[in-house]
């Protein structure tokens, strides 16, 4: 029976219990498909833990940068590093998932359709990852452009205030984009739940 693993914001793979002992036809194909989805779920869980820890640490560093004059250049470098790590890991995850799940040879039309939907979901996960890394890259560029704008003595000209206000608004816009990408990951996870429910129903009819 297919079972949903721990709640996930970023994941497409789900822990799925193996079905029945190997035999021919539909059951054997069910076993083959869910075994690969199981493997993808293990990779997905590891990915989630690593990326959420990385992003959480980065956001904590940014929020704790209000003592004295912030080092925007260092902050920009840190955010870009987080973006690069996210991009590398999510593309590797999607590549592994699509290769492993896609290699399962199926003749059962219902299972083929479920396999295609799961592969499409994995590809859209990659697209959402691209959007998030792009937003993080924009945040890095913006933070870099703020280097040197803060006055050490706390005295600002009207022009500096206007410039900093505009930058702050840009930063908020980008932060919203990142939050939206996170919400999209949640939607993909819910869509996966529906696919898994269909696998359960089809492979384990009561």
């Amino acid at each position: 029976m297919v079972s949903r693993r721990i709640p996930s914001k970023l994941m497409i793979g789900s822990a799925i219990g193996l079905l029945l002992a190997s035999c021919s036809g539909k059951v054997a194909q069910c076993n083959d498909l869910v075994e690969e989805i199981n493997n993808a779920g293990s990779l997905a869980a590891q990915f989630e833990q690593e990326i959420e820890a990385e992003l959480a640490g980065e956001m904590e560093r940014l929020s704790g940068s209000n003592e004295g004059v912030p080092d925007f250049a260092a902050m920009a470098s840190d955010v870009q590093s987080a973006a690069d790590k996210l991009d590398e890991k999510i593309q590797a995850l999607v590549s592994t998932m699509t290769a492993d799940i896609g290699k399962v040879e199926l003749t059962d039309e219902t299972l083929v359709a479920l396999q295609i939907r799961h592969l499409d979901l994995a590809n859209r996960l990659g697209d959402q990852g691209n959007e998030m890394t792009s937003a993080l890259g924009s945040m890095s560029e913006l933070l870099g452009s703020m280097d040197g704008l803060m006055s050490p003595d706390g005295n600002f000209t009207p022009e500096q205030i206007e410039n900093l206000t505009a930058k702050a608004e840009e930063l908020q816009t980008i932060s919203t984009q990142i939050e939206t990408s996170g919400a999209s990951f949640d939607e993909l996870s819910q869509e996966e739940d529906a696919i898994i429910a269909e696998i359960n129903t089809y492979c384990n009819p009561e």
Side-chain angles (χ1 to χ4, degrees):
M1 178 172 178
V2 178
S3 61
R4 190 71 172 93
R5 63 181 180 81
I6 58 174
S8 167
K9 292 182 178 180
L10 301 180
M11 296 305 96
I12 292 297
S14 290
I16 298 179
L18 293 178
L19 301 175
L20 300 171
S22 297
C23 57
S24 61
K26 170 184 169 181
V27 173
Q29 292 182 55
C30 281
N31 282 339
D32 290 342
L33 181 59
V34 299
E35 181 175 11
E36 294 305 332
I37 295 177
N38 231 356
N39 293 337
S42 297
L43 289 172
Q46 180 182 0
F47 165 84
E48 178 183 19
Q49 293 171 0
E50 292 177 355
I51 288 303
E52 289 192 344
E54 177 68 30
L55 293 179
E58 189 54 48
M59 292 304 105
E60 183 178 352
R61 286 192 290 274
L62 290 177
S63 63
S65 63
N66 56 358
E67 296 182 3
V69 178
D71 188 346
F72 288 113
M75 292 163 62
S77 178
D78 288 344
V79 171
Q80 187 58 57
S81 177
D84 292 341
K85 288 179 182 179
L86 173 62
D87 182 61
E88 179 182 355
K89 289 182 178 294
I90 201 166
Q91 297 310 325
L93 173 64
V94 171
S95 177
T96 299
M97 289 174 62
T98 53
D100 290 349
I101 296 174
K103 74 182 180 184
V104 180
E105 296 183 2
L106 302 170
T107 57
D108 185 283
E109 293 183 0
T110 299
L111 290 176
V112 169
L114 290 167
Q115 179 189 43
I116 290 173
R117 286 169 60 191
H118 205 285
L119 290 172
D120 175 66
L121 207 60
N123 287 323
R124 283 186 283 138
L125 170 66
D127 292 340
Q128 287 301 322
N130 289 337
E131 288 189 17
M132 182 169 283
T133 54
S134 177
L136 286 169
S138 297
M139 178 179 283
S140 174
E141 291 180 9
L142 180 60
L143 289 170
S145 72
M146 295 172 70
D147 191 41
L149 293 181
M150 297 289 288
S151 176
D153 59 11
N155 296 317
F156 299 94
T157 65
E159 183 179 356
Q160 286 177 312
I161 293 174
E162 182 179 358
N163 197 359
L164 285 170
T165 299
K167 298 286 187 183
E169 291 175 353
E170 273 189 78
L171 194 60
Q172 181 58 53
T173 298
I174 295 172
S175 296
T176 300
Q177 291 174 353
I178 294 173
E179 291 175 2
T180 300
S181 291
S184 296
F185 283 126
D186 285 338
E187 291 174 4
L188 289 175
S189 182
Q190 292 171 13
E191 188 174 338
E192 181 199 27
D193 286 342
I195 296 175
I196 289 172
E198 290 184 47
I199 295 175
N200 264 333
T201 300
Y202 186 68
C203 291
N204 292 288
E206 296 182 358

